[in-house]
Amino acid sequence: MSRPNLFGMGPEALAAALADAGEPAFRVKQVYGWLYHRRVQTIAAMTNLPKALRASLGERHEVRWPEVTERTLSFDGTRKYLFRLEDVATIETVYLPEDERRTICISTQAGCPLKCAFCLTGIAGYRRNLKPAEILGQVATVMEEHPVGQTHPQRREADPFPWNIVMMGMGEPLLNYEATVASLRVLMDPKGFGVPPRKLTLSTVGILPALAKLAAEPVRPNLAISLHASDPGLRRALMPIEEKYPMGDVVDMALRYPVPRGGRVTFEYVLLGGVNDSPAHARELVRRLAGRHAKVNLIPLNPAPEIPFHAPRPEAVDAFGALLAAGDVRVSVRRARGQDILAACGQLHLKKAAATAAPPRP
Ligand code: SAH
């Protein structure tokens, strides 16, 4: 039996753990700082705690980050981490160093229940919500190996490039509200990971009640909305959640979301060849978003054999983007990355699952 994990506990849980060990409340701040600011991986390394306290704390608790079982490096520098969790669920994290920015893409659920028609994670199915330790552990692991945004003295020199963290890996963060928000608090806390809110983006299909709650949180990340269609009929065909939370309401609520200073709501639009990539679709999107304080991120589909759609033609991507720009909608196009290592959206995880389910015959 493993001892309860300190990593992942918020201030209250830490206070309770320390009280159990007979320690005064001021220790909470010290332990919290070791866990999330300095990010040591043993209780023994918390050197400003008295030896006796480290010993008694160590009898009851430990510090465990999720276990990396596979690291893959793409020709373009993209790094993919596969984590095996304690119940053998697997999740993925991707680190994307681009020319002028670095991005860490993390998961919030093992699998996903939403079943969007073009998404491999949805096709593979849903397992469970991640715990704060599993969400924070992904960031801690990548930051340990890559010096993005590191400022405190014990670390390597800071990487000078802009960087950000996106909750765009496996799962729907707003269906795992408590753990997601608990993790965001520790990530954005200057005494924790110290990630400025504008550098953190939560991507969601728009679970309306949870989105309203997020908008009312005292500190909020940036917001990206998975739209993927310019009209409700098409969106319903691609994303079953449209039935419950219609895009009109989602767009309205997103445009009212209080973004952090310097931020802007993003609408993600996966382009599927011949399905949602025509000039008429682009014009309809302009009608809905022209002149609003938002931007559209066009994402050419990352195709895979299991996905029943194909990538858009490059000319269609260009034409779509040009129509948005001409219609007063800010637009960017996401380049595909890490394709040789299946870094896109659940692919490595799926390959593994298939390999376990059906070993190749001799
Ligand atoms: N559930 C959240 C976050 C995870 S998905 C959400 O839906 O926003 C993160 C992004 O990856 C979404 O915009 C999703 O639509 C996109 N995506 C999923 N599968 C993709 C694929 N095969 N190619 C390109 N983008 C994909």
Side-chain angles (χ1 to χ4, degrees):
M1 262 306 277
S2 50
R3 293 179 288 264
N5 193 1
L6 290 179
F7 189 79
M9 289 186 185
E12 290 98 61
L14 283 178
L18 284 160
D20 285 351
E23 283 300 317
F26 74 88
R27 297 282 182 212
V28 173
K29 281 193 178 145
Q30 291 177 316
V31 174
Y32 182 94
W34 283 114
L35 290 171
Y36 306 121
H37 198 68
R38 301 209 175 209
R39 296 189 290 278
V40 297
Q41 293 183 66
T42 60
I43 291 170
M46 302 182 177
T47 47
N48 65 352
L49 303 184
K51 263 217 161 90
L53 167 59
R54 277 182 268 163
S56 70
L57 205 53
E59 277 162 24
R60 290 182 181 76
H61 295 278
E62 56 191 358
V63 178
R64 280 192 314 276
W65 292 4
E67 183 197 351
V68 180
T69 54
E70 194 169 322
R71 285 180 179 74
T72 332
L73 175 62
S74 163
F75 70 91
D76 66 12
T78 301
R79 267 174 201 278
K80 175 151 189 157
Y81 296 81
L82 194 72
F83 291 90
R84 192 180 42 220
L85 307 180
E86 284 166 2
D87 58 357
V88 307
T90 53
I91 53 161
E92 299 175 4
T93 304
V94 183
Y95 172 64
L96 303 106
E98 292 177 275
D99 296 343
E100 309 246 302
R101 68 151 61 249
R102 281 88 174 86
T103 302
I104 302 172
C105 177
I106 61 172
S107 298
T108 52
Q109 297 183 310
C112 183
L114 291 175
K115 301 211 170 304
C116 299
F118 50 84
C119 176
L120 273 180
T121 305
I123 292 170
Y126 173 66
R127 188 147 181 160
R128 67 168 171 86
N129 279 332
L130 297 187
K131 300 174 207 151
E134 295 162 340
I135 298 174
L136 294 171
Q138 298 171 63
V139 180
T141 299
V142 176
M143 287 179 89
E144 186 67 23
E145 295 177 19
H146 304 280
V148 285
Q150 311 279 4
T151 45
H152 60 80
Q154 301 232 320
R155 301 268 151 183
R156 283 172 283 174
E157 221 169 284
D159 181 327
F161 291 105
W163 61 287
N164 61 328
I165 298 175
V166 295
M167 290 183 158
M168 290 185 190
M170 301 167 79
E172 168 51 53
L174 293 187
L175 289 179
N176 184 13
Y177 191 85
E178 293 308 323
T180 294
V181 166
S183 303
L184 286 170
R185 276 195 198 117
V186 174
L187 288 171
M188 295 188 291
D189 182 354
K191 296 198 161 79
F193 283 67
V195 179
R198 64 172 194 290
K199 291 185 183 294
L200 249 170
T201 300
L202 182 150
S203 177
T204 175
V205 296
I207 307 295
L208 291 174
L211 186 54
K213 243 165 100 181
L214 184 71
E217 292 283 344
V219 188
R220 298 161 306 273
N222 232 324
L223 181 68
I225 297 285
S226 283
L227 199 58
H228 309 322
S230 52
D231 68 86
L234 181 54
R235 193 170 189 255
R236 201 170 307 128
L238 299 174
M239 305 170 67
I241 197 72
E242 171 69 20
E243 203 69 61
K244 200 160 176 193
Y245 301 120
M247 61 180 280
D249 299 345
V250 171
V251 170
D252 282 349
M253 193 179 280
L255 291 173
R256 278 182 286 137
Y257 178 85
V259 285
R261 228 163 159 23
R264 187 181 279 266
V265 171
T266 301
F267 291 99
E268 298 163 277
Y269 194 103
V270 172
L271 288 163
L272 310 167
V275 172
N276 66 355
D277 64 343
S278 75
H281 293 119
R283 281 191 287 268
E284 176 60 17
L285 204 55
V286 166
R287 198 184 65 69
R288 289 175 186 270
L289 297 177
R292 312 306 299 263
H293 187 69
K295 64 184 175 202
V296 170
N297 190 212
L298 297 177
I299 311 169
L301 175 77
N302 243 310
E306 299 84 355
I307 299 175
F309 297 100
H310 50 88
R313 289 180 303 115
E315 311 86 80
V317 179
D318 292 345
F320 202 100
L323 278 168
L324 292 187
D328 196 19
V329 176
R330 259 188 201 237
V331 58
S332 57
V333 179
R334 190 188 295 169
R335 269 190 307 139
R337 307 260 314 171
Q339 289 193 315
D340 56 323
I341 57 167
L342 304 175
C345 318
Q347 295 181 338
L348 179 62
H349 164 80
L350 204 67
K351 187 188 75 176
K352 286 261 149 186
T356 334
R361 283 184 212 169

